[in-house]
Amino acid sequence: MKKRYARESRCYKTARVFPPDVNNHNTLFGGKLMAYIDDIASIAATKHCRQSVVTASTDSVDFLHPIRPTDAVSLESFVTWTGRTSIEVFVKVVKEDLLSGERKIAATSFLTFVSLNANRTPIAVPSVVPETEEEMKLYETAPRRAEARRVRRKESKEFADFLTVNQPWE
Ligand SMILES: CC(C)(COP(=O)(O)OP(=O)(O)OC[C@H]1O[C@@H](n2cnc3c(N)ncnc32)[C@H](O)[C@@H]1OP(=O)(O)O)[C@@H](O)C(=O)NCCC(=O)NCCS
């Protein structure tokens, strides 16, 4: 199957922080940022395979610095690694104080998408070719994250078997 460069999936988004988007600390609400992350990551995954994808897992989101109303929030997303049908996507979130110009990495995230055909069956995806130092580092460290995902998925499935679907208010 065809290979794709990591750069072919790269995409960007920049937004302001408006009053409805903040939490009680007057910083960007985490759920709002997570929606941005899922959105841009799904675009990167789709650009990589040019097939339909679903989010299988948000593997990690690390909030490193609060994002304030005077900041612009910029997200960069690209595919870092693939399995047979799964696609790992990295999202880097940079905040920029619009008054001082100071920039910081505000958050980082890894997500896994699965490519599906019209019958919602997982289908094979192209592998990824890293080029830059950042892409290479993320590619080389990906097997460790894939193994952690495998273990967590197994534990989640086992745990789900113990959970009840009964609702407490019924
Ligand atoms: C994701 C989904 C399609 C996987 O289906 P499945 O029948 O379990 O598929 P498989 O067991 O064949 O796994 C397919 C691939 O997905 C990966 N995968 C499945 N669940 C995963 C998870 N929770 N985390 C990470 N990877 C996962 C597998 O490792 C496998 O990767 P590989 O082909 O690269 O080795 C299915 O669980 C699903 O539809 N989930 C709901 C997704 C959704 O609705 N997302 C929107 C958010 S609400």
Side-chain angles (χ1 to χ4, degrees):
M1 177 174 273
K2 192 176 183 300
K3 293 180 181 202
R4 294 242 161 85
Y5 291 106
R7 69 176 138 82
E8 293 180 81
S9 63
R10 183 171 269 106
C11 39
Y12 302 95
K13 172 189 180 73
T14 301
R16 289 199 80 116
V17 179
F18 286 119
D21 306 332
V22 299
N23 56 28
N24 292 351
H25 306 282
N26 202 31
T27 62
L28 183 62
F29 180 51
K32 180 78 185 179
L33 184 58
M34 287 163 75
Y36 286 158
I37 288 172
D38 192 32
D39 184 30
I40 195 169
S42 76
I43 295 171
T46 309
K47 277 161 72 78
H48 178 77
C49 64
R50 298 293 177 191
Q51 301 278 352
S52 201
V53 300
V54 285
T55 317
S57 166
T58 300
D59 304 319
S60 64
V61 184
D62 292 297
F63 299 107
L64 305 173
H65 291 286
I67 300 169
R68 303 186 192 285
T70 48
D71 294 331
V73 54
S74 297
L75 294 90
E76 175 189 350
S77 173
F78 55 92
V79 170
T80 46
W81 184 86
T82 56
R84 195 184 76 78
T85 66
S86 64
I87 300 170
E88 184 192 70
V89 178
F90 175 63
V91 182
K92 178 165 74 178
V93 181
V94 174
K95 67 166 195 161
E96 175 178 338
D97 185 315
L98 289 170
L99 303 180
S100 70
E102 187 193 12
R103 286 185 188 164
K104 280 187 179 157
I105 304 284
T108 56
S109 179
F110 288 95
L111 304 92
T112 304
F113 291 82
V114 176
S115 182
L116 301 178
N117 67 12
N119 299 322
R120 296 191 62 82
T121 304
I123 46 169
V125 295
S127 52
V128 64
V129 181
E131 293 176 293
T132 67
E133 205 179 326
E134 214 172 61
E135 291 164 6
M136 301 277 273
K137 174 83 174 164
L138 290 162
Y139 183 82
E140 283 159 14
T141 52
R144 214 169 53 215
R145 292 189 298 276
E147 175 57 16
R149 278 196 293 276
R150 193 190 62 74
V151 170
R152 190 169 43 81
R153 185 185 178 203
K154 183 169 170 287
E155 287 173 356
S156 287
K157 276 185 168 174
E158 286 166 4
F159 188 53
D161 289 340
F162 284 101
L163 297 176
T164 169
V165 294
N166 298 333
Q167 305 292 303
W169 57 86
E170 284 175 340

